[in-house]
Amino acid sequence: MLAIDHIQIAIPKGNEDECRAFGGDLVGLREIPKPEALQARGGLWFALAGSELHLGVEEPFAPAKKAHPGFRSNDITALAARFETAGQDMVWDTAIKGRQRFFANDPFGNRLEFLQEETSQ
């Protein structure tokens, strides 16, 4: 059996502060230290439940428009409200029964999905 250790998303050089604002402040992720041997490469890492999100510098940079990670949320309504308050564009999608989900782009145009499984009442 395999599991996800980490996901890496490309970012443009020198944009770590913008990543912190989006990933940390808006999405609510906790930044974790990169290993010292990798710090000179730029980028930053965030903790996920049971895995990590690595934001790595890529030059030349090109955003991922179709390929995307899907981030599971335990409160999609609150997360969506934060996006709306911040003026962040998002698109709700109802194509998959039993999931509330929306798509949004990070500040650099990378496609991201946020979802929550619907619970039976």
Side-chain angles (χ1 to χ4, degrees):
M1 181 168 138
L2 297 176
I4 298 287
D5 177 78
H6 68 275
I7 298 166
Q8 177 145 330
I9 298 174
I11 62 169
K13 183 177 182 177
N15 286 276
E16 289 81 1
D17 287 342
E18 203 166 352
C19 292
R20 285 182 183 97
F22 182 84
D25 298 339
L26 180 60
V27 178
L29 300 176
R30 180 178 55 86
E31 186 175 352
I32 55 176
K34 285 182 67 171
E36 189 173 329
L38 302 180
Q39 290 177 6
R41 297 179 185 179
L44 62 145
W45 292 5
F46 289 106
L48 300 172
S51 62
E52 298 173 351
L53 173 61
H54 297 179
L55 303 177
V57 172
E58 183 173 279
E59 292 185 289
F61 170 76
K65 297 290 189 181
K66 177 70 175 169
H68 64 275
F71 296 101
R72 184 175 292 138
S73 173
N74 60 3
D75 193 346
I76 195 83
T77 303
L79 180 59
R82 289 198 307 271
F83 271 65
E84 289 172 0
T85 299
Q88 179 72 38
D89 289 337
M90 50 191 257
V91 176
W92 285 96
D93 185 285
T94 59
I96 301 175
K97 185 177 177 169
R99 290 186 176 184
Q100 292 179 293
R101 68 186 190 147
F102 67 86
F103 290 91
N105 290 334
D106 72 7
F108 318 110
N110 290 307
R111 185 178 193 212
L112 307 173
E113 178 180 349
F114 299 92
L115 63 105
Q116 181 174 359
E117 300 290 330
E118 293 178 346
T119 57
S120 300
Q121 304 245 359

